[in-house]
Amino acid sequence: MSERNAGWSVCPIPISRYPRVVMAHGGGGRIMARLISDMFRAAFDNAELNQGHDGAVLDVGAHAVTGGRIAMTTDSYVVHPLRFPGSTIGAMAINGTANDLAMCCAEPRWLTTGFILEEGLAMETLWEMVCSMADAARIAGVHIVTGDTKVVEHGRGDGMYINTAGVGLVRPGADSRPQRVTPGDAVILSGDVGRHGMAVMTVREGLEFEAEITSDCAPVWPTVRAMIDAGIDIHCLRDATRGGLASAVVEIAETSGTSIHLTESAIEVQPQVAAACELLGFDPIYVANEGRFVAFVPAAQADAAVSAMADTLPGARPAVIGRVEACDPGMVALRSVIGGERIVDMLSGEQLPRIC
Amino acid sequence: MRFVDEFRDPQAADALVKAIRRTVTRPWTLMEVCGGQTHSIVRFGIDQLLPGSLTLVHGPGCPVCVTPIEQIDRAIALARRSDVVLCSYGDMLRVPGSGTDMLAERAAGADVRIVYSPMDALAIAQKTPDKQVVFFAVGFETTAPPNAMAVFQARAMGVPNFSVLVSHVLVPPAIGAVLDDPDCLVNGFLAAGHVCTIMGCGEYEPIARERGVPIVVTGFEPVDILAGILRCVGMLESGEIGVANQYARMVRHEGNPSAQRLCAQVFETVDRKWRGLGSIPQSGWDLRDEYADYDAARRFGLLAMTADEPAECLSGLVLQGRLKPSDCPMFGTVCTPERPLGATMVSSEGACAAYFRYRRRTGVSE
């Protein structure tokens, strides 16, 4: 926070003239140019962006480590509220896209950003989000190299939406597509689940709990890199974002044509998250995460993988939560804490708070 | 998490399972009344751990499931009015009315809001004086006190733009209706713990005595449910009839007298139609005449609205424990959470939803 405030105090944005976003900030004229140069370029400052070109020219060849393959992805961020315990829409827009690249065993390098701003958004809020993007990009080691700004009329947006697209450099030899998941693989979860979704939910719905729930939003590339560097033959990676752990695992089972057996007692859920989920009738394995992923690795390498992951995740406890089998292709089963078994499937829609 | 972890403890569960196996010498059928218990049983696989001669059947205690279809239609009619904000608990929104559901209405522009308490709806009414704010007040005795409190407060504070669409139902008459069925195979009941926190255990004693069944007040966690089952089969094996409280950490014998007084002040007992079960005499609560001004059905002239349930939906048999969801010919084919025939397929306490979510495919024994 102090860092952000420091940036704020020196930033020359024309806040005195425009305390709020006006239509002209997306109008293509001087006012928009000032916003881009004084706010976005000032905050994101990097060589590619500073080319001042229509697009960014990226020197992929300078990174000999690639083996010639890049990974690409895009995601849009519409979370409301814009800030919530542990993170913001800005940090999510960086980490979410960078993490999708990491799931391809690609080192995230370059991101684009598209802003859709609502007329009337406080300039101070926009600046806070831009600073949190800049902070997250610095931590994740990515450059925001080009972007776009549009403004919609008041009432036609939710403050701001952000789209980011990203390019990453795939590690030589790496192949983490779901088709590589094989019976006998161990399923590893990188830490506790359910925090991001419940952090947003508690703020959005004005729910208060004794212990604050904070989002797990964070870059995961350092963890993936540690696994690769440790020589783990990563068969597949999938981040457990929307739809939570359960949906991620079901997707993998269906795409790979295997069956995945999970052990409920191995899946860590923080007590305050478990309590909030109990209260609302939510199942934490369906709640969104922004910094957790599942890895499928050969069973013989499971311990080495867990240990490599743990070294990069202070405070988190990555763990083997299940195994891949050949029977019943596409099915995910979960052994409950008391020893009964049930299937795990995707939900038909979002979880809704129950009546009692 | 305290009060949860110790009731999901594998060793405690295992000890209870072994005790149940030692106790049971004959075939018994137990009904868990509450949909929350049904979901716990299916989610944790409790039934898979029980001896084969012990059958659990699922009861009518899902408030969303038994809310009559015309009441959903009334809520939708209200939601469609441009002058109305309709507030509801979340899991009512997917329940199909005659033509549509409230999520679809919200997508079409209706102001439908999820709230966690009727007091939230009352606060919205105070903040939005130019709109009529209606709370969809469904549920068993558990949710009745907050609804009564909201109406009581609205009258005391004079909030003219607040009203409730009431569809309260009561557990004891539903147990009576299940037992009245000549085909009823149920030997004993696990009563709904949360309902009893409000109403106490006393009103189940005449049912147990007159119908000759044991009724065990039971909680919702696996160890609670297994302890309730053990107590109930113990009573059956020894021929004991009566009411036992296996959820004493929450339920006092007399219940919550101040909540009961509030409910009695605001509500009166009436005949009530149940979705899937038809009309059951003296089985619901409605607003007393002195609170009629806060009755949305009267305020908006909706009392004449009626609707028939789709004939192909067999949820009535499911709610009486006479049909296992997965044995229904519509289950998972014609009827799915995306295209439900009845509320039992979409409610978070519905038995069909539990089977669809946790048991649908092969490989997990039923």
Side-chain angles (χ1 to χ4, degrees):
Chain A
M1 196 65 185
S2 58
E3 197 172 330
R4 192 155 66 219
N5 288 341
W8 165 245
S9 61
V10 297
C11 181
I13 58 163
I15 195 165
S16 55
R17 268 193 76 192
Y18 293 104
R20 290 182 181 278
V21 169
V22 297
M23 294 304 290
H25 281 121
R30 237 352 126 199
I31 292 176
M32 186 174 98
R34 280 292 301 273
L35 181 74
I36 292 169
S37 64
D38 293 358
M39 186 184 277
F40 300 145
R41 204 170 282 159
F44 300 151
D45 184 38
N46 58 69
E48 295 92 338
L49 180 65
N50 293 340
Q51 293 164 0
H53 205 6
D54 260 1
V57 176
L58 309 173
D59 192 356
V60 178
H63 302 272
V65 73
T66 63
R69 292 180 303 160
I70 61 168
M72 228 187 132
T73 188
T74 183
D75 209 341
S76 298
Y77 300 85
V78 298
V79 66
H80 186 84
L82 301 177
R83 66 180 80 78
F84 43 87
S87 195
T88 67
I89 190 174
M92 264 182 82
I94 301 299
N95 288 326
T97 296
N99 290 349
D100 281 344
L101 295 171
M103 294 299 98
C104 304
C105 288
E107 178 179 356
R109 297 290 307 184
W110 301 290
L111 261 56
T112 72
T113 180
F115 292 106
I116 296 175
L117 309 176
E118 185 183 7
E119 179 188 24
L121 174 71
M123 199 58 82
E124 199 170 340
T125 305
L126 176 59
W127 179 233
E128 183 190 338
M129 295 306 137
V130 166
C131 288
S132 101
M133 288 177 82
D135 286 347
R138 186 171 41 73
I139 293 165
V142 296
H143 286 177
I144 299 166
V145 294
T146 186
D148 176 56
T149 310
K150 296 283 189 298
V151 179
V152 296
E153 288 160 18
H154 182 67
R156 291 184 58 211
D158 211 356
M160 69 188 294
Y161 303 134
I162 304 174
N163 170 275
T164 51
V167 170
L169 305 171
V170 183
R171 282 296 173 108
D175 182 2
S176 55
R177 289 171 299 135
Q179 289 78 4
R180 288 199 68 218
V181 170
T182 313
D185 282 356
V187 185
I188 303 173
L189 174 64
S190 67
D192 66 306
V193 295
R195 275 199 279 138
H196 173 75
M198 296 316 291
V200 173
M201 183 91 187
T202 50
V203 179
R204 190 185 289 163
E205 305 297 343
L207 303 173
E208 286 175 19
F209 297 96
E210 276 178 23
E212 187 178 58
I213 298 171
T214 56
S215 170
D216 63 337
C217 184
V220 301
W221 170 247
T223 310
V224 175
R225 186 180 53 206
M227 294 169 76
I228 296 170
D229 291 348
I232 306 298
D233 177 19
I234 297 171
H235 283 178
C236 184
L237 301 171
R238 179 61 55 99
D239 54 359
T241 50
R242 256 181 315 172
L245 170 68
S247 304
V249 173
V250 172
E251 278 171 17
I252 298 290
E254 290 180 351
T255 313
S256 64
T258 60
S259 104
I260 298 172
H261 291 245
L262 304 177
T263 303
E264 190 172 34
S265 56
I267 300 169
E268 186 188 354
V269 182
Q270 279 193 352
Q272 62 267 39
V273 174
C277 285
E278 274 301 312
L279 190 73
L280 296 169
F282 286 4
D283 188 338
I285 65 172
Y286 290 95
V287 177
N289 310 281
E290 283 296 330
R292 296 288 178 248
F293 66 95
V294 277
F296 295 77
V297 305
Q301 291 190 315
D303 290 344
V306 167
S307 151
M309 292 165 82
D311 289 343
T312 68
L313 294 164
R317 285 192 288 270
V320 175
I321 60 161
R323 67 187 186 280
V324 179
E325 294 188 355
C327 58
D328 299 312
M331 190 193 79
V332 177
L334 180 141
R335 181 154 297 278
S336 79
V337 285
I338 63 156
E341 198 168 70
R342 71 178 200 246
I343 65 155
V344 174
D345 198 359
M346 281 187 217
L347 298 179
S348 63
E350 57 183 343
Q351 297 196 92
L352 295 174
R354 71 175 170 205
I355 191 164
C356 65
Chain B
M1 188 179 15
R2 247 187 108 206
F3 300 122
V4 171
D5 290 344
E6 59 267 51
F7 297 98
R8 292 181 184 174
D9 176 53
Q11 270 119 37
D14 187 54
L16 286 162
V17 168
K18 286 186 175 130
I20 291 167
R21 288 181 178 275
R22 281 196 304 273
T23 307
V24 172
T25 64
R26 282 170 282 170
W28 300 112
T29 297
L30 309 186
M31 173 178 275
E32 84 279 357
V33 170
C34 174
Q37 293 166 332
T38 303
H39 266 256
S40 257
I41 288 164
V42 182
R43 179 179 165 193
F44 290 99
I46 293 170
D47 48 338
Q48 298 163 357
L49 308 174
L50 299 176
S53 59
L54 183 54
T55 306
L56 295 181
V57 296
H58 316 307
C62 161
V64 171
C65 303
V66 300
T67 300
I69 193 163
E70 61 238 34
Q71 207 68 337
I72 310 287
D73 289 349
R74 286 171 185 164
I76 288 168
L78 286 170
R80 283 179 176 167
R81 292 176 61 121
S82 59
D83 60 339
V84 166
V85 178
L86 186 83
C87 300
S88 172
Y89 292 122
D91 55 358
M92 284 304 294
L93 303 195
R94 277 200 199 103
V95 178
S98 299
T100 170
D101 60 49
M102 283 186 274
L103 279 182
E105 293 301 319
R106 189 164 77 173
D111 194 346
V112 177
R113 301 188 197 176
I114 295 175
V115 294
Y116 300 93
S117 155
M119 300 307 284
D120 296 343
L122 184 58
I124 292 171
Q126 289 173 293
K127 273 187 252 162
T128 326
D130 58 327
K131 293 269 189 182
Q132 288 286 331
V133 177
V134 181
F135 181 71
F136 196 5
V138 303
F140 283 92
E141 295 92 326
T142 325
T143 50
N147 292 343
M149 179 56 86
V151 173
F152 180 84
Q153 294 268 5
R155 196 171 82 150
M157 296 188 295
V159 185
N161 61 326
F162 178 77
S163 59
V164 288
L165 185 62
V166 181
S167 194
H168 271 300
V169 281
L170 305 171
V171 169
I175 292 181
V178 168
L179 286 165
D180 282 342
D181 184 335
D183 296 331
C184 175
L185 298 171
V186 178
N187 304 113
F189 289 88
L190 307 182
H194 288 159
V195 168
C196 296
T197 58
I198 305 298
M199 300 306 291
C201 307
E203 57 185 357
Y204 296 91
E205 273 156 10
I207 301 175
R209 210 168 40 241
E210 288 159 23
R211 309 297 189 115
V213 289
I215 299 177
V216 179
V217 176
T218 302
F220 299 85
E221 295 301 327
V223 167
D224 287 319
I225 290 171
L226 286 165
I229 291 169
L230 177 61
R231 187 76 167 265
C232 200
V233 292
M235 290 169 80
L236 285 166
E237 291 283 344
S238 63
E240 185 185 345
I241 286 161
V243 178
N245 181 5
Q246 195 59 50
Y247 196 37
R249 75 177 189 279
M250 290 296 289
V251 175
R252 287 178 298 183
H253 184 80
E254 70 279 15
N256 180 338
S258 47
Q260 292 165 20
R261 274 195 300 278
L262 179 66
C263 288
Q265 190 176 340
V266 174
F267 295 126
E268 61 183 348
T269 307
V270 295
D271 297 348
R272 177 69 78 194
K273 193 171 165 184
W274 296 50
R275 188 169 189 158
L277 301 177
S279 186
I280 303 176
Q282 299 292 289
S283 68
W285 277 342
D286 211 340
L287 291 173
R288 289 186 177 280
D289 282 342
E290 48 269 47
Y291 291 93
D293 288 349
Y294 295 90
D295 182 348
R298 285 182 248 196
R299 184 178 291 186
F300 296 97
L302 298 171
L303 287 169
M305 269 182 90
T306 58
D308 291 322
E309 293 157 26
E312 64 271 30
C313 179
L314 303 179
S315 66
L317 295 176
V318 172
L319 288 164
Q320 294 169 76
R322 288 165 58 191
L323 177 69
K324 198 163 152 179
S326 48
D327 291 341
C328 173
M330 306 293 164
F331 178 82
T333 55
V334 175
C335 181
T336 65
E338 281 88 26
R339 294 181 68 84
L341 287 176
T344 46
M345 185 50 99
V346 285
S347 166
S348 62
E349 294 184 54
C352 300
Y355 276 72
F356 191 90
R357 183 162 164 186
Y358 300 131
R359 295 283 168 87
R360 185 160 33 102
R361 299 193 207 172
T362 55
V364 178
S365 59
E366 286 179 7

